[in-house]
Amino acid sequence: MEIGTIGAGDFAQAFAKRVLKAGHKVKISNSRGPDSLREIVNELGRGATAATSEEAVACEMVLLAVPWDNVPETLARLPKWKNQILIDGVNPFHGKAGNFTPANVGNLSTSQFVAALAPGARVVKAFNHMLVPNLEADPVVNGARRVAFLSGDDADAKKQVHSLLQNCGYSVIELGNLRDGGLIQQAGGPIAARDFIERGEYHK
Ligand SMILES: NC(=O)c1ccc[n+]([C@@H]2O[C@H](COP(=O)([O-])OP(=O)(O)OC[C@H]3O[C@@H](n4cnc5c(N)ncnc54)[C@H](OP(=O)(O)O)[C@@H]3O)[C@@H](O)[C@H]2O)c1
């Protein structure tokens, strides 16, 4: 599968490394254009391409990985969504690591906020609870699988992201819809930034 990224920072690069290892291709984009991404795609290696935002969004699956303050402007500039799956990786806080202040999104989850700004996209919350070092690390830890979570409102989109996560090597747990599962996964939720490893034979 070819997966686009909107954003090419630490999180998008860790995501790209993970899905490339699983045999997928990645079109990575930022606001400054493909030329600014040459070094990054060289480091990511085979399967990674520097793309425009339009090219990234044309993929059947797209990761949103920009800072919260840039989300509305970023989504407003993209072409109309035509049923692609949009994996929401963003967290609701202003500022940068080490100097965060929580953003007010009313009683919505981040993903519901994102979905409202991306009509026509099928939004799934996934990969987001993992910190970059955990996302970069091997999903198999001493023979046990790292756990990845997902939530969404579209059954087929969830199925496809579930397959992607399994394909990456994770043990997958679905957390329900964009609202309830989204709130559990995003920054401030109970599992955010935690690292879960599943031991035991039952789910093999
Ligand atoms: N770091 C983590 O451990 C982690 C984990 C889970 C989720 N997240 C979430 O992932 C998001 C990104 O985090 P990060 O750590 O990767 O931040 P980062 O390293 O600062 O990267 C942000 C990226 O967004 C791009 N960007 C900004 N505005 C854009 C636009 N209008 N169009 C396209 N690209 C744009 C930036 O590139 P240009 O400025 O060059 O365009 C940059 O590549 C945040 O919402 C964060 O909460 C982070």
Side-chain angles (χ1 to χ4, degrees), residues 8 15 30 32 52 64 87 94 100 117 141 145 162 191-192:
F15 169 87
N30 64 7
R32 289 173 295 130
T52 62
L64 181 64
I87 300 174
H94 306 293
F100 293 135
L117 295 174
V141 185
R145 288 191 184 277
H162 193 127
I191 66 169

Side-chain angles (χ1 to χ4, degrees), residues 19-190:
V19 298
L20 284 166
K21 276 193 181 133
H24 300 285
K25 292 185 174 168
V26 178
K27 286 190 173 175
I28 194 159
S29 77
N30 64 7
S31 69
R32 289 173 295 130
D35 284 345
S36 67
L37 293 166
R38 300 286 169 220
E39 203 175 311
I40 288 172
V41 292
N42 282 343
E43 273 173 28
L44 288 172
R46 197 183 161 87
T49 318
T52 62
S53 299
E54 291 76 13
E55 289 165 340
V57 167
C59 295
E60 57 194 296
M61 211 178 266
V62 182
L63 173 77
L64 181 64
V66 300
W68 178 255
D69 290 327
N70 300 27
V71 168
E73 177 214 336
T74 303
L75 290 174
R77 285 185 184 196
L78 295 177
K80 280 202 167 88
W81 292 88
K82 295 179 181 162
N83 217 32
Q84 302 96 308
I85 294 170
L86 177 59
I87 300 174
D88 168 35
V90 304
N91 285 304
F93 42 66
H94 306 293
K96 288 224 148 211
N99 189 22
F100 293 135
T101 54
N104 182 1
V105 284
N107 66 354
L108 299 177
S109 69
T110 308
S111 296
Q112 287 179 302
F113 184 87
V114 165
L117 295 174
R122 295 183 290 158
V123 177
V124 175
K125 188 76 162 174
F127 289 95
N128 157 266
H129 91 284
M130 283 188 237
L131 291 173
V132 162
N134 296 336
L135 185 52
E136 286 184 333
D138 195 326
V140 179
V141 185
N142 298 327
R145 288 191 184 277
R146 181 165 273 120
V147 179
F149 300 90
L150 71 94
S151 45
D153 294 340
D154 182 290
D156 176 68
K158 282 203 285 192
K159 196 171 156 191
Q160 291 193 50
V161 176
H162 193 127
S163 293
L164 174 68
L165 289 165
Q166 275 184 328
N167 187 228
C168 287
Y170 295 111
S171 174
V172 185
I173 296 177
E174 296 203 15
L175 292 173
N177 61 25
L178 273 191
R179 175 175 171 70
D180 300 336
L183 288 171
I184 294 170
Q185 287 175 78
Q186 70 190 43

